[in-house]
Amino acid sequence: MTNLDLSGSQSYLNDESTSNLSSLAGKFIVQFWGVRGLIPTPGGHTSRYGGNTACVEMQVAGKRLIFDGGTGLRLLGKAWQHLQQPLEAHLFFTNSQSNRIQGFPFFAPAFIAENCFHIYGGAASNGASIKQCLCDQMLQPHFPYPLQVMQSDLQFYHITPNSEIRLDDVTITTALINQTQRSIGYRVTWQNYSVAYVTDINMNAEQGEQEQIMQIIQGVDLLIANATYTPPTSHAHESAEFLWQAAVEMSHKAGVQKLIISHHHPDDHDDFLDQVAKEVQANFPNTLLACEGLVLPIV
């Protein structure tokens, strides 16, 4: 079930519209605050799509869900500063690599005592918990202040693949989608609507990983995916078709209603991404490339 149309679903937020989102208790809205992979890429060549690393906010039935805490999380925190306190939100990490957690030390609402944040993540490749990873990056010499200076109520949860988190009538389902990166994919379901956040698709994914991905993206209204994982040393524009092919093929097989490709490579400038969007839409018409400020209403 979906009301997403390619021509009319894209909008951009200003301060006024951001404030309005907080009162939509009967709505399901997705907003992109960071869409870049690997490393932030500020500059004129990335100004239209954005250079901040991964952060997606979902407003679901009055609840605030955040997926990944790249540098886009800082922008989200600034947008929340004018909202009435206290704030409560749920922050889900796909993995503990730097581009997914580097915005957390700059998340201003976490420093306000009245706020509460529920933080979820799986074990990193070295076995460290999400709490340990977030703490470690805020220790000297990496950062001047430890995590303990955050005055908000931080509640940490260790999650395992193939588990469910229930927040009243909102269900978040998890799956291990990339064994090497220890990356978790999420499916958010409310009433008859669902959104999947699966941003570590590997071009050479093993059969077990493909099955896990297919389970959580089956029939979703919106799939947020990467154009497959590519090491920074091997990225080449001439091979771009192969980078999005896996996401498109899975979307066709799973009956996905709309596909959003995010986590753009640092070398992908705006004009190149415009061309990629045309190529992807020729194969899966209801596709958009994510850009900072993009807002998609699910219902």
Side-chain angles (χ1 to χ4, degrees):
M1 172 180 276
T2 181
N3 66 350
L4 297 181
D5 296 313
L6 183 62
S7 60
S9 61
Q10 181 169 340
S11 60
Y12 299 88
L13 285 191
N14 52 33
D15 290 341
E16 181 178 355
S17 56
T18 303
S19 178
N20 291 338
L21 287 180
S22 63
S23 64
L24 299 179
K27 299 295 183 179
F28 192 164
I29 295 172
V30 178
Q31 181 179 357
F32 293 82
W33 295 93
V35 301
R36 193 66 56 171
L38 298 176
I39 189 171
T41 54
H45 65 293
T46 60
S47 60
R48 285 191 286 112
Y49 284 88
N52 283 290
T53 48
C55 183
V56 172
E57 178 190 8
M58 298 187 195
Q59 299 256 350
V60 191
K63 294 178 173 58
R64 298 178 182 275
L65 312 182
I66 307 168
F67 292 86
D68 280 330
T71 56
L73 184 64
R74 185 184 70 88
L75 299 182
L76 171 58
K78 291 184 66 176
W80 281 4
Q81 286 181 338
H82 69 282
L83 298 178
Q84 185 176 0
Q85 306 296 332
L87 289 173
E88 182 176 14
H90 301 261
L91 176 52
F92 298 87
F93 287 95
T94 52
N95 62 45
S96 299
Q97 294 181 355
S98 62
N99 64 319
R100 312 300 173 94
I101 68 174
Q102 61 197 179
F104 186 75
F106 304 94
F107 184 46
F111 293 86
I112 299 174
E114 293 81 4
N115 295 338
C116 176
F117 297 101
H118 305 268
I119 301 172
Y120 307 79
S125 56
N126 65 351
S129 68
I130 185 61
K131 181 177 182 180
Q132 182 178 344
C133 293
L134 293 175
C135 286
D136 287 350
Q137 75 165 346
M138 295 180 69
L139 294 176
Q140 294 278 8
H142 308 295
F143 197 75
Y145 307 109
L147 181 141
Q148 287 75 14
V149 303
M150 291 181 165
Q151 296 300 304
S152 63
D153 181 11
L154 301 178
Q155 301 184 17
F156 292 88
Y157 305 84
H158 176 75
I159 59 176
T160 57
N162 303 312
S163 60
E164 283 190 353
I165 299 122
R166 294 187 177 273
L167 307 175
D168 296 328
D169 56 348
V170 177
T171 301
I172 299 96
T173 308
T174 68
L176 183 64
I177 62 170
N178 188 313
Q179 177 69 36
T180 303
Q181 308 297 327
R182 300 300 301 173
S183 296
I184 294 176
Y186 296 95
R187 178 187 180 118
V188 180
T189 303
W190 176 61
Q191 296 184 356
N192 294 322
Y193 303 93
S194 56
V195 174
Y197 184 78
V198 180
T199 55
D200 279 292
I201 297 176
N202 193 321
M203 192 184 311
N204 301 311
E206 297 179 357
Q207 183 64 31
E209 292 173 341
Q210 294 184 30
E211 292 174 355
Q212 290 287 303
I213 295 171
M214 292 298 291
Q215 287 179 10
I216 62 172
I217 72 172
Q218 191 68 42
V220 295
D221 298 290
L222 177 65
L223 168 61
I224 303 167
N226 62 308
T228 77
Y229 174 78
T230 54
T233 55
S234 65
H235 183 76
H237 285 171
E238 59 267 21
S239 63
E241 177 181 355
F242 299 101
L243 305 185
W244 51 256
Q245 194 171 41
V248 167
E249 289 179 355
M250 289 181 177
S251 296
H252 280 299
K253 291 178 182 178
V256 169
Q257 297 297 311
K258 188 182 187 73
L259 171 64
I260 303 294
I261 292 180
S262 188
H263 287 52
H264 310 310
H265 193 277
D267 293 339
D268 292 347
H269 52 76
D270 290 337
D271 292 341
F272 172 73
L273 290 174
D274 286 343
Q275 183 59 40
V276 170
K278 294 177 182 178
E279 295 175 3
V280 180
Q281 289 166 3
N283 290 268
F284 196 89
N286 207 12
T287 299
L288 286 175
L289 265 62
C291 60
E292 289 179 22
L294 174 65
V295 179
L296 298 171
I298 309 302
V299 59

